[in-house]
Amino acid sequence: MRPFTYARAADAADAVRLADGGRARYLGGGTNLVDLARETVERPEALVDVTGLSTAIEEIGGGLLIGAAARNAAVAEHRAVRTRYPALARAIVAGASAQIRNMATVGGNILQRTRCAYFYDDGSRCNKRRPEQGCDAIEGFNRGHAVLGASAACVATHPSDMCVALAAFDATVHLRNADGERTLPITDLHRLPGNRPDLDTVLEPGELITAVELPALALAASSAYRKVRDRASYAFALVSVAAAIEVTDGIVSDVRIALGGVAHKPWRAWTAEAALRGGPATAERFRRAAEEELASAVALRHNAFKIELAERTITTVLTDLAGEQP
Amino acid sequence: MSENHDAARPAVKTAVGPAPDDWGPGRAPDPLSRHRSGTIGTRVSRVDGPLKVRGAATFAAEFRFDGMVYAALAFSTVPKGRITELDTAAAEGAPGVVLVMTYRNAPKITPLPEWYTEGKAVAGDTLPVMQDDRIHWNGQPIAVVLADTQEQADHAASLIRAGYEPEPAVTSFEQAKAAGRHPTFHYGRPLKTEISDAEAALAAAPVKVDEIYRTPFQNHNAIEPHAVTLAWDGDELVVHDASQAVVHTAWSLGYAFGLRQDQVHVSSPYVGGGFGGKSLWSHHILAAAAAKLAGRPVRAALTREGVYRVVGGRTKTEQRVAIGARPDGGFDALVHTGVVAMGRHNTMPPEPFITSTGSLYAARSFTLEVEAAHMDMLANTFMRAPGEAVGSFGLECAIDELADRLGMDPIELRVRNEPERNPTSGLPFSSRHLLEAYRVGAERFGWTERSPRPGTRSEGEWRVGMGVATASHPYIRLPGGEARITLTADGRVIIDVAAHEMGMGTETTTAIVAAERLGLDLDQVTVRQGDSRLPGLIMAGGAQQTAVIGGAVSAAHRALLAVLIELAGHDSPLAGLRPEEVGCVNGGLHKLEDPSRFESYTDILARAGRGEVSVEASGPPPLELTHWSMRSYGAMFCEARVNAVTGETRISRFLGSFDCGRIMNAKTAASQFRGGIIMGLGLALMEETHLDERHGRIMNPNLAEYHVPVHMDVPEIEVMWTDIPDPHSPMGAHGVGEIGITGVGAAVANAVYNATGRRVRDLPITLDKLL
Ligand SMILES: Cc1cc2nc3c(=O)[nH]c(=O)nc-3n(C[C@H](O)[C@H](O)[C@H](O)COP(=O)(O)OP(=O)(O)OC[C@H]3O[C@@H](n4cnc5c(N)ncnc54)[C@H](O)[C@@H]3O)c2cc1C
């Protein structure tokens, strides 16, 4: 591994100061950054350990505020998360392994990088790793790659399970840098690749995630997360769906849907939601809404199945949730 | 019998007489094969278990030498061409770096000969290692860095920059097939058999299947990545290796560096899984060369990626299976042909996927053939049940498809085609109880609950189906078995044999067999193995170690009886007896016909004034293989669930019912069967090397993206066995290490078909193939 300096931040202000406008990288559990540094994909010169920052999970205006340093396992086990946002708890435990979830932080999970094999391999071309270099995935192995929102420069997906549930629930991220603090809906945090796939997010250099806020959301209490993958555990999602639905007298009064494994960012299914709101809660309607959501999907050589798979999974998850409504 | 049901054991121990001189015709069976009073066949925990649990068993990457440095490799990123530029300056200047070795400064190394052509060669390919600027596969080592720590070596290796002048390379299978198909050989024999005109018989048959089945590239993923720790001592080379062929490796490393075999000492006391991959690869040679150049001992422990770049795996196959049948199910024609991808400089066989097809079914005509298409890639090699693991997928799926077409139960179809003799060689079977394995397996599994109509059973979103397939693996006993028995004055023995403990229980089984042959308790036997200075030339491959060691130890046992009777002399109760007349029991010898004529080993040695007696003998040549058709068999039963929404397949039940001769250790045999089945589930559902066909690069060289089953993928697996001794093998035993993976792919695919009505003919069965 290349040499780097290491400092441990005492608090958020200290972290931002130490990060020096992005010269240093933040280090959470290190389960992604250290891996990538070993592979020489990331070459940090300086690390600022932010695991000493807030790990609190606290009530805030009917919602929850989760410190960025909270471990993935702690969030998934938290009573309020399990009862009020069950899809979030399930999404987290559907990811990685128990050991990794014990190490991984919320901030690190949000900013984990794609698992595209060509991004990892120094012997391949990758626009995300080296801008303008070209992309070997587009004509290569792309079974796991994006079908929505991809570009001619990049077809990578965002791999997080947790973020899919956060996107469905309109979570916001609390950010801080030298100029001050701001919040951002998580759905606006990650970018589509366009012609700058090297930029995963809209964060400024050195900007720190201090917390994630889940708004009060009654329908989240009966939410579901379904992850479809190549083996029963310890595999990234081919397609995943986080959803919650509220049905009143057979009519969809409110609905939240987000998809994982299909795009460069956790994919909020705005189109499907709009198509469903105010209409009858039937499997047929769910299916049609899913098809509308996927209408703009573009398949590569190996991943066409994801389109059908996403439609089916959305339909089934919504049908099951609607069936459970009182 | 199953792992949890031991046969009743008589309380009184009976004596074991000598085994026959050889296992040719006219010989009585090994008395041990019927010996029921000892520990054979019971559940014996591994003798090396406590060491491993304590972390006290030393593996190749745990040995150290004074002044040792650590190696890291840099790999090529093109499949073929010349290195035009190799910038090592930054690596040389990096902290802790002792040496950077490239083709420019590597010492002269002789390329190794092909397997079976000369001596004891065991290298994966015949290519020169780092002798010129040529690249032969994507991932070939281009530099070795030695440094004071592993981290320093890894970092320095990442600083090496290379430029290439690429040459046209064949890196896609389609391209390779178009360029030409070549005949293949297995153990020196052509992989081609023709009996009558199978194509004509097929054309005329009233019922037939004729399909193409495909299996992908796979890589080795033993829990212990390959590693070697070695040091030069003048003209001698001391090697701590992770090896399944210690003597072959000593010879081969000697050959590469112009040394005699005895100048290279290879030790490999424990190996964390071999599966056919732990032979000799370029990291061995590079480590020895770099150690020589630097004048320092070296540890070269491959990263997981390194294993994928340097060590070959199982190659890709494309198999045509065609069966022509009469309405009663009898086969008129059986065709199993196809092509495999192969490296250009392989020394090891192609994937011989037809080897069981010629002996399983009584067809009237056969065409069997494996051809190879050459690719510019790392040499492929053995991987658990070479040929059988993937060949059984094509064959046993085709049987299922035919049964479906005939409207016949697939087990019944197999019963109707059960041969009396080997249908292609004409040899009688030494021991074949496949139908018995089917009978007990089917009963235990509840086969009658299977619906013959596919897609008729559902539980919620899950479609449920059952499938069955035959498992099979050849009995192998290669020449070269030798063993030494040393009996000490305290009545204990040491068995010395250059065999290998790779986690499967060889040390324990060898101790069990020796204890029973010698009439001793298990704790009176010490087994020393895994060292090239011990007797024998034994490859831990082909599931042959039990038979090879058994044959050698039985020969040494005969020799020992002769020496002991001689030593006992005229004053002994044994006076005047011939070795054939005595048997071993209770720590001594007695006349088989007259147990009162007994004398203990300790008394014999004491009277003769000897501290110890040591005998060494070679196992007899494997005559049994020229007179009988010898195989292990099994019936694999699978219950699969396929999600109607997502296409995900999960296995809910699995049972393997085996006919593998007499089982030596119920505990370790069950683990081998079960482990093989788990590996077979991986083969069926997820294992696949992503070789990017544009440039021959492996894109998933890690355990996150190369999927093997995790715990949640593995259901309850039941294993059982006939336990019928083979009258023509040492101890009546067969190997059990490889058969477990065979037939699993087909059993799963057949269950998936039964669940869904969808037939998947290319592995792995991923969900996209079932949507
Ligand atoms: C084998 C394996 C399997 C996995 N499987 C899954 C899976 O199935 N599903 C899934 O969702 N995930 C999976 N993961 C990924 C895992 O969830 C991430 O590695 C983990 O969440 C990252 O968290 P971390 O704290 O370790 O991040 P780190 O590695 O420490 O950091 C990741 C990134 O976040 C930045 N960062 C960290 N904290 C902050 C902060 N507070 N503010 C700003 N930037 C910050 C770092 O600079 C870095 O760029 C898997 C990982 C592995 C190794």
Side-chain angles (χ1 to χ4, degrees), chain A residues 69-313:
Chain A
R71 303 290 176 177
N72 286 190
V75 178
E77 282 161 16
H78 195 271
R79 199 180 157 73
V81 174
R82 291 167 66 122
T83 53
R84 285 154 52 191
Y85 307 91
L88 176 59
R90 292 206 190 107
I92 292 171
V93 297
S97 67
Q99 294 89 335
I100 292 169
R101 294 192 298 268
N102 284 338
M103 288 295 290
T105 60
V106 165
N109 189 316
I110 294 170
L111 296 182
Q112 63 173 298
R113 308 205 66 192
T114 185
R115 309 302 289 203
C116 172
Y118 298 92
F119 171 68
Y120 266 77
D121 179 36
D122 209 25
S124 299
R125 294 179 311 152
C126 174
N127 288 322
K128 188 180 272 300
R129 200 180 51 234
R130 292 210 188 91
E132 310 281 306
Q133 194 188 28
C135 168
D136 271 341
I138 291 175
E139 299 288 322
F141 283 104
N142 45 40
R143 186 169 172 274
H145 288 69
V147 289
L148 288 168
S151 72
C154 183
V155 292
T157 57
H158 191 261
S160 169
D161 290 297
M162 183 185 84
C163 288
V164 181
L166 293 178
F169 297 152
D170 291 314
T172 51
V173 283
H174 291 221
L175 305 171
R176 175 176 188 133
N177 69 9
D179 307 331
E181 296 179 346
R182 62 170 176 154
T183 61
L184 206 60
I186 188 149
T187 46
D188 291 344
L189 176 72
H190 298 95
R191 295 177 66 253
L192 289 177
N195 56 9
R196 288 301 304 276
D198 53 313
L199 302 176
D200 292 351
T201 66
V202 300
L203 291 184
E204 301 290 333
E207 204 165 15
L208 173 76
I209 300 180
T210 55
V212 172
E213 183 177 343
L214 285 162
L217 190 67
L219 79 166
S222 61
S223 57
Y225 185 74
R226 180 133 173 196
K227 178 175 182 179
V228 185
R229 47 183 148 175
D230 277 325
R231 61 181 167 190
S233 177
Y234 202 53
F236 289 91
L238 292 167
V239 164
S240 69
V241 175
I245 191 166
E246 192 177 82
V247 181
T248 319
D249 301 330
I251 298 296
V252 177
S253 42
D254 199 0
V255 61
R256 303 295 154 92
I257 310 166
L259 306 177
V262 293
H264 196 255
K265 59 186 288 187
W267 188 266
R268 180 71 179 267
W270 302 110
T271 309
E273 289 179 13
L276 288 170
R277 259 191 213 99
T282 63
E284 176 50 33
R285 293 288 297 235
F286 298 151
R287 171 92 207 171
R288 259 194 284 143
E291 283 168 6
E292 271 180 55
E293 187 64 50
L294 273 297
S296 62
V298 179
L300 301 164
R301 188 164 356 146
H302 303 121
N303 68 357
F305 74 96
K306 282 191 173 187
I307 300 171
E308 167 79 14
L309 184 61
E311 291 169 0
R312 288 181 179 210
T313 311

Side-chain angles (χ1 to χ4, degrees), chain B residues 54-111:
Chain B
R54 296 205 316 272
T58 316
F59 290 81
E62 296 174 320
F63 286 92
R64 46 174 62 254
F65 290 104
D66 288 342
M68 182 176 87
V69 289
Y70 296 79
L73 303 178
F75 307 106
S76 79
T77 53
V78 300
K80 195 171 178 167
R82 288 176 182 278
I83 302 173
T84 50
E85 191 191 325
L86 197 50
D87 181 358
T88 56
E92 275 154 6
V97 171
V98 169
L99 172 76
V100 178
M101 186 177 85
T102 69
Y103 74 90
R104 294 188 194 124
N105 60 344
K108 172 142 179 28
I109 301 162
T110 312

Side-chain angles (χ1 to χ4, degrees), chain B residues 72 74 378 450 468:
Chain B
L378 172 60
R450 169 182 177 267
V468 76

